[in-house]
Amino acid sequence: MYIVAALYHFTPFPDPAAIRGPLTDIASVHNVKGTLLLAREGINGTIAGSRAGIDAVLAHIRALPGCASLDWKESTAASAPFPRLKVRLKREIVTMGQPDVDPRASVGHYIAPEDWNSLISAPDVAVIDTRNDYEVAIGTFKGAVDPLTKTFRDFPAWWEENKERFHNKRIAMFCTGGIRCEKSTNWLLQQGVPEVYHLKGGILKYLEEVPAETSLWEGECFVFDNRISLKHGLRVGSYFMCSGCRKPISPKDKKSKKYEEGVSCIDCHDKLTKTQKERFRMRQKQINLAKKIGS
């Protein structure tokens, strides 16, 4: 059983490159895999490994300047969620492209999972999903607005075009683990929106703590690892990953004539070139061969 830890923390790192080496070393020694992003604004990522390995990496991160109050969310996986370790340097730990956004200055009101249903059921509250379109497509909260954004960078422009729809409304926003809402709520406050709320711990915390029978969540939650999606209780969902476009596909999608294992799905079949498909078929052939010989 693998422990999966999703984490983020906003704190100033004057020299993220100096942090990268020691962090990579401690994770490698303990065979912890996954992706960690470092920027001047902090750290973000998801890692998986043994209990001892995850504890060692989290202890190392908490010892970094300004990270003593690091919070994280845990779940489990029966097989390795990540094939390798990546510790990367980035401009932002979650890319919004708004240089004046600073979650350390101010954010919206945090709403605990047990209080979320009451808030979003209020008639004067507009609920906005800040995730990307392919994530929203497999699950979201009942009645939530889908901005249909391709990337988080698109969110500010979408708000500018649609803000009149939310006049005199309180705004409640949510995302997978909470990090996008740290930035989106700060940005909305800067735009003069008086009452902004966000789900503390994100969808993952909600699915962990709120029983399915009282939940307002519909569908499954996309996650950025080999589990693809999670259900209530953070149980592994029913979705698969298309190797052609890296989008989630359902068991129903796999029945389409446009689905080919390791090559394409109903969404990307007509978008891929013949050369791309042949390359993906060769890759899948190598994967099947590796599985056959236990490599």
Side-chain angles (χ1 to χ4, degrees):
M1 186 65 68
Y2 293 82
I3 305 299
V4 184
L7 61 97
Y8 71 85
H9 192 69
F10 287 96
T11 188
F13 287 153
D15 187 6
I19 297 172
R20 183 185 188 187
L23 181 56
T24 302
D25 291 343
I26 193 74
S28 299
V29 164
H30 290 277
N31 199 31
V32 170
K33 298 179 180 179
T35 298
L36 291 169
L37 306 179
L38 294 167
R40 289 183 176 273
E41 65 181 5
I43 185 170
N44 176 32
T46 305
I47 52 176
S50 67
R51 176 76 272 168
I54 292 297
D55 287 346
V57 175
L58 291 176
H60 180 87
I61 296 173
R62 289 200 303 272
L64 295 174
C67 291
S69 60
L70 173 77
D71 193 14
W72 68 93
K73 291 168 287 297
E74 288 190 2
S75 55
T76 59
S79 58
F82 301 101
R84 63 186 67 85
L85 172 68
K86 294 181 284 187
V87 182
R88 293 178 170 172
L89 301 177
K90 305 283 284 186
R91 288 182 179 274
E92 300 178 67
I93 55 175
V94 59
T95 304
M96 193 180 192
Q98 297 294 318
D100 294 330
V101 165
D102 183 4
R104 292 169 295 162
S106 63
V107 294
H109 301 289
Y110 291 108
I111 303 298
E114 62 267 26
D115 299 323
W116 183 248
N117 288 358
S118 177
L119 174 69
I120 67 174
S121 298
D124 65 331
V125 171
V127 189
I128 301 176
D129 196 329
T130 65
R131 299 172 302 152
N132 300 331
D133 53 3
Y134 64 90
E135 299 172 77
V136 181
I138 72 171
T140 191
F141 281 105
K142 183 178 180 180
V145 175
D146 178 7
L148 297 173
T149 50
K150 297 295 182 184
T151 73
F152 190 43
R153 279 181 174 273
D154 299 335
F155 184 81
W158 174 84
W159 173 261
E160 282 299 315
E161 294 173 2
N162 292 271
K163 60 185 179 183
E164 295 305 320
R165 294 168 52 187
F166 308 106
H167 183 62
N168 288 333
K169 290 281 189 179
R170 292 185 291 159
I171 304 298
M173 296 193 286
F174 64 92
C175 56
T176 307
I179 186 170
R180 275 179 272 199
C181 290
E182 300 281 354
K183 286 196 169 183
S184 60
T185 58
N186 175 267
W187 193 79
L188 256 63
L189 289 171
Q190 291 185 33
Q191 308 311 303
V193 180
E195 290 193 69
V196 186
Y197 305 84
H198 52 136
L199 177 58
K200 187 172 178 59
I203 301 163
L204 295 181
K205 199 65 176 175
Y206 182 92
L207 294 180
E208 179 185 359
E209 296 188 356
V210 177
E213 53 269 22
T214 60
S215 174
L216 294 181
W217 177 261
E218 299 177 334
E220 299 179 15
C221 177
F222 179 84
V223 289
F224 295 89
D225 60 60
N226 290 342
R227 294 172 298 173
I228 314 304
S229 67
L230 297 177
K231 302 177 181 179
H232 279 91
L234 301 183
R235 293 178 293 112
V236 176
S238 61
Y239 280 78
F240 306 87
M241 180 73 79
C242 172
S243 297
C245 62
R246 309 300 295 170
K247 300 291 179 62
I249 55 176
S250 68
K252 181 181 178 181
D253 294 332
K254 293 182 75 173
K255 296 179 181 179
S256 168
K257 292 182 179 179
K258 294 186 176 182
Y259 171 75
E260 183 178 347
E261 185 181 9
V263 180
S264 65
C265 67
I266 189 171
D267 185 60
C268 68
H269 179 273
D270 296 334
K271 302 174 185 176
L272 297 173
T273 65
K274 183 178 180 180
T275 301
Q276 286 176 313
K277 290 178 181 177
E278 287 301 320
R279 188 170 74 250
F280 294 160
R281 289 188 182 106
M282 182 59 68
R283 178 183 61 189
Q284 188 61 36
K285 183 178 179 179
Q286 295 298 320
I287 291 173
N288 293 339
L289 179 60
K291 289 180 180 179
K292 187 176 180 179
I293 63 177
S295 172

